[in-house]
Amino acid sequence: MRRWSVALASAAAAVTFVCTSPGFAQAPQGSQAPVKIGVLADLSSVYSDIGGTGAIEAVKMAIEDFGGEVLGRRIEMISADSLNKPDTASAIARQWYDSDGVDMIIDLPTSAIALAVMELSKDRQKIVIVTEAASSDITGKRCSPFTAHWTYDTYANAHTVGSAIVKQGGDSWFFITADYIFGHSVERDTADVVKANGGRVLGSAKAPLNTQDFSSFLLQAQASKAKIIGLANGGADTINSIKQAAEFGIVAGGQKLAAMVMFISDVHSLGLKTAQGLVVTEAFYWDKDDKTRAFGKRFYERTKRMPTMNQAANYSATLHYLNAVKASGTKDAKAVMDKMRATPIKDMFTDNGVLREDGRMVHSMLLLEVKKPEESKGDWDLYKVLAEVPGDQAFRPLKDGNCPLVK
């Protein structure tokens, strides 16, 4: 049985996990420093369900499956709560890079945090893999040679869901938008899709992150008479928006909700009676095929929940990173990133993934519809797969991102 040794680092409120089962060779000391991964997540706030401890568990699974060591070095994982504050996250990342020997940071729950840590990683020439934050600027004008953006982004979600809804007749929109980089990116990218397909945007209301009361924003949306109320938010904010919209009778009154960034954990929290009929996009669904079901079952055995796409992405990205370290024969960030770009991603997350020079991991996206209660066969049987959209159709073309790395 594997045993995980735990050490608390009070300054960063971090936990270090080191796999020390008898089957793993003990890495030499001194110059053979461990390969160290930092999981910088939301463990206590609005995005804790879609990443949180499940994201940490997914990274642990990847380290275990890889074997616990690489290049004769043990693999360690350290984790901390970002508190969804860019300054807190930057301070933790700076300590990890400068003092704690962290080679790669993964997760990063908000776009503001991701962009701040990306700047640090570029300065230190250390790797960042963004699995949770969604702004398309991460691989656009703010791209970095040391960053990979793994799961989804606002451009892909807008094009997958937004275009489908407009083509179905939802041609007038009002947005309720999380008032920071992520929400603004979702609104911008979706509005572009709506207009490109002949629709109109009638207005928007900006809501602070982690808002509990959406009544004033919903009343503005209701008064706009827009056919579609676009929820440019995520996590608990999306859940609260949908619950309170039901209380206001917005859907019963003829308007429809479009959740631009929604997760299986959100649908599970809402219940099928409330969420049924919503059209969403995700990068991963546990019940898609045999590989996803096998991973979902293993994850469920450890957490008693099915994985979100972000949690599945943490497993996929960690394994791809470790394979690149092994294949390149070094943990040097540039060499490892080069190997990650040169190697196709074929795993339980995707069988057609490619990491581009702008940092975007391109893969197919799923267009999904939330099932009616009578259609579901179990607690986590929540989606019907409407379409699998190829990555080159879902994600922004390389030439259009204005990434300075792209010539």
Side-chain angles (χ1 to χ4, degrees), residues 1 4 25 50 64 79 104 113 178 221 227 229 236-237 241 253 262 273 311 326 336 339 346 371 374-375 377:
M1 178 179 290
W4 294 88
I50 64 179
E64 289 174 3
S79 65
M104 184 269 278
I113 285 172
K227 293 179 182 178
I229 299 173
D237 285 346
S241 301
M262 197 165 185
K273 185 177 179 180
Q311 292 160 348
K326 180 180 179 180
V336 173
K339 184 59 67 175
K346 295 181 182 292
K371 289 185 172 182
E374 61 269 23
E375 294 174 323
K377 298 176 182 177

Side-chain angles (χ1 to χ4, degrees), residues 26-49:
Q26 294 300 306
Q29 301 301 309
S31 61
Q32 289 294 86
V35 172
K36 201 164 187 179
I37 297 169
V39 185
L40 190 50
D42 176 359
L43 301 180
S44 58
S45 188
V46 63
Y47 299 133
S48 57
D49 270 358

Side-chain angles (χ1 to χ4, degrees), residues 336-384:
V336 173
M337 285 297 296
D338 287 344
K339 184 59 67 175
M340 288 174 67
R341 292 190 191 96
T343 308
I345 298 97
K346 295 181 182 292
D347 57 17
M348 37 53 77
F349 185 80
T350 180
D351 59 6
N352 54 27
V354 176
L355 183 61
R356 297 192 312 205
E357 59 191 290
D358 62 348
R360 177 68 259 164
M361 201 276 270
V362 177
H363 52 82
S364 58
M365 294 287 290
L366 301 174
L367 185 65
L368 305 160
E369 182 179 325
V370 178
K371 289 185 172 182
K372 298 175 183 176
E374 61 269 23
E375 294 174 323
S376 176
K377 298 176 182 177
D379 193 31
W380 290 91
D381 179 24
L382 302 177
Y383 289 140
K384 292 186 288 188

Side-chain angles (χ1 to χ4, degrees), residues 6-166:
V6 181
L8 292 178
S10 58
V15 181
T16 301
F17 295 88
V18 184
C19 201
T20 58
S21 77
F24 295 137
Q26 294 300 306
Q29 301 301 309
S31 61
Q32 289 294 86
V35 172
K36 201 164 187 179
I37 297 169
V39 185
L40 190 50
D42 176 359
L43 301 180
S44 58
S45 188
V46 63
Y47 299 133
S48 57
D49 270 358
I50 64 179
T53 56
I56 294 170
E57 197 65 30
V59 173
K60 288 167 62 177
M61 288 173 68
I63 293 171
E64 289 174 3
D65 288 351
F66 190 81
E69 66 154 17
V70 61
L71 307 181
R73 306 166 187 259
R74 69 181 182 272
I75 302 166
E76 295 184 3
M77 185 199 76
I78 190 168
S79 65
D81 189 346
S82 69
L83 304 180
N84 284 347
K85 297 178 179 179
D87 54 346
T88 299
S90 294
I92 293 169
R94 188 176 295 109
Q95 176 179 315
W96 282 0
Y97 283 148
D98 296 348
S99 303
D100 297 339
V102 168
D103 299 293
M104 184 269 278
I105 294 178
I106 192 169
D107 199 85
L108 304 167
T110 74
S111 298
I113 285 172
L115 292 167
V117 174
M118 283 168 59
E119 287 301 309
L120 269 175
S121 84
K122 186 162 60 173
D123 183 58
R124 270 65 170 180
Q125 297 194 9
K126 296 288 188 90
I127 293 173
V128 165
I129 304 180
V130 181
T131 57
E132 195 162 340
S135 173
S136 57
D137 289 344
I138 291 168
T139 55
K141 59 186 179 182
R142 302 285 294 274
C143 70
S144 162
F146 298 101
T147 296
H149 199 185
W150 210 259
T151 316
Y152 68 111
D153 62 30
T154 53
Y155 182 100
N157 282 37
H159 279 70
T160 304
V161 176
S163 60
I165 291 174
V166 175

